[in-house]
Each structure stands twice: as C-alpha cells, then as structure tokens.
Amino acid sequence: MSQPPISYKDAGVDIEAGDALVERIKPLAKKTLREGVMASIGGFGALFEVPKRYQEPVLVSGTDGVGTKLKLAFEWNMHDTVGIDLVAMSVNDILVQGAEPLFFLDYFACGKLDVDTAAAVVGGIAEGCAQSNCALIGGETAEMPGMYPAGEYDLAGFAVGAVEKSKILTGANVKPGDVVLGLSSNGVHSNGFSLVRKCIERAGDAHPGTLDGQPFKQAIMAPTKLYVKSVLAALAEHPIKALAHITGGGLLENIPRVLPEGCGADLTRSRWPRTELFDWLQATAGIDDVEMNRTFNNGIGMVVVIEAAHAQACMDTLRAQGESVFEIGQIVPRSEGAAVQVHA
C-alpha cells in the first residue's frame, strides 16, 4: 500500500507564513530607506550605491548577534526590542572606525515560524535602523523544524558603512594627556547575559520591583543604545582620535583595542554615576570591581578619546545631541601592567 504524500508544510515548513511575514516586513523596511538604496525587499540580492559625496570611500563591515539575552526574551515574551540590540551591536562597532552605517541585513532562524513574534522582532530591527539612518535592505527568514525548541529563535545581523579613507579612526595618534570621555549606556545592553541570568536565577522572587525608575524586566531588557547620530555629529566638528564600543569584555578589554603601544587609560569610577541596575548585579553576583569592569559596560557604552583642548567642546556637542557624557579619565604612559586602570 502506497503511503500518503508529505508536503513541505507537513514537514514543518509553512511557506504561506513566510510570505505573510515578508508582507508584514515590507512597510517596516520602507521606513528605513535612505540615499543609496536601489531595490526593495524581496529580491535575491540587495543593491546599494555608495553616496557620491564620498571621494575615497572605504567600506567598513560588522556582524553580530544578540546572545543569551534572547533566552529572557523567550521567557518573558519580550520580543520588540531585541531587534534594536541586533542593529546596535553592529552599527556601533563600525562607527568606531569613523564609519557612517549605510545598510543592514538580518537573519532570523526558528523551528516553527510565528508571524507575530517574527514581525515584532523585525519591527525592532527596523526601529534600530531608523534611529541610525541605516537602511534595512534585506535579510533571511529560515524555518528549520527540529533545530530550535518551540517558541525560540536566533538572530544575526550584518551592517556595512563607509568612511573617507583620510578620516578612518585608527587610534594611532592617541598620546598621554588625551582625555577619555564616556557616553552613558542604557543598561546592560547585550553583553554579560549569561551572568545576568544567573543573578536572576539566584535572586528568584526576591529581585527588586524596579531599577533606576523602570520595572525590573524593562530595566534588564533595555535595548543597546545607538550612538550613531550623536557621534557622527561630534566627528564632523571635533578632532576625535579614537572610539571604543564597550561590549563583551567591558571597559578593561575594549578600550585597549584602540590604544597604540605604550599607552594606557587611567579611569576614575566616581566621575560617572552609579546605577541601581549595576549595583544590584554586583551585589547579587558577589563579584569585585575588576570583574564588573571586565564583564559589563558598567554604565558607559561608548568611549571617546580626544585631545584635552577639544574635550569640552566635544562634550557640548554630544550633550546637544542628547547624550549624557562624562570626562572619565585620561590616557597615560604604559610600560607594564593592565592597559586600563579603574580607580575609585
């Protein structure tokens, strides 16, 4: 006896759901259109023309995901901001080279496609792109039965930007006496969540109801801050020498990535505000200040290095753009020891 036919949908892949998601995504992507976009969502490849105002454009690319923060998104049914995290993790990274983000592509993978959940996630991606003037011009939705538990998904993203060859930030001209400015973070952003989740597990129902004026879950899930517009405005006016996006590895591991040999950074912790969120994480985890500064951004999401004579004007520009910015330290000679020292 012959067996009944098995359709793709019987195997767990719903083409109609995928088509429905694309139709939901199109108006979201349309809101992110900018100069250079040459094709709409739905083609085999995304076309983008580098703006003609660049004389010697150098393309800068970055890719990242959201990490285990997604586990809390699943558990708490909070899907509308993780897309902002996805965009921010890539565009903030390419910004560090002085690049203007141009376009973004996303990859959404799941076991069974839930159109409403996926649309919420992509809505966050589109919002992140809009906030950074970066076009969402393509992506991939992969429905893979058996690869992911029910209700879970994974995200990855890819951003491309451009910078004039003569204006690439390398940090090579950083020298002792330069000032280190810190731009405040929105919270944990998208790093250290393996430890965050352990803290939540340890606290159980004893966690505080609010942190820094926000409900507990919203404070934990606050999306990664996008620094693109404010920092590009500062780059246009001031001779910034280096930028560092404070992600995994915190202040201690990220700042040295943009310092030349022989230079270190001396930071003073009292120069930027403490928050209830990071105080709670430190107390709950029972870790020292060094571990905090190596795991979390600890309240500083982006670092700017600039000559002392230009520091105040740069801070004024950043504050006019809505940033909370602090003079958190200075560049010092380094012969041995840790590249970044954080004092009380």
Side-chain angles (χ1 to χ4, degrees), residues 133-181:
N133 195 29
C134 180
L136 176 59
I137 59 173
E140 172 69 10
T141 302
E143 190 174 23
M144 299 184 286
M147 286 289 289
Y148 298 91
E152 297 194 3
Y153 54 82
D154 199 9
L155 291 176
F158 181 89
V160 173
V163 60
E164 288 288 2
K165 189 173 183 179
S166 62
K167 295 182 178 179
I168 297 172
L169 293 182
T170 65
N173 60 340
V174 170
K175 67 181 189 302
D178 289 341
V179 168
V180 180
L181 306 178

Side-chain angles (χ1 to χ4, degrees), residues 17 45 87 134 147 156-157 159 162 172 190 192 255 270 282 294 315-316 328:
V87 174
C134 180
M147 286 289 289
S190 191
I255 295 176
S270 61
Q282 183 169 12
R294 191 166 46 204
M315 285 194 288
D316 291 343
I328 64 172

Side-chain angles (χ1 to χ4, degrees), residues 10 18 23 46 54 56 115 118 121 128 147 151 158 178 260 262 270 301 304 315:
D10 292 331
E23 291 307 309
Y54 284 96
E56 291 184 287
V115 175
V121 172
M147 286 289 289
F158 181 89
D178 289 341
S270 61
V304 177
M315 285 194 288

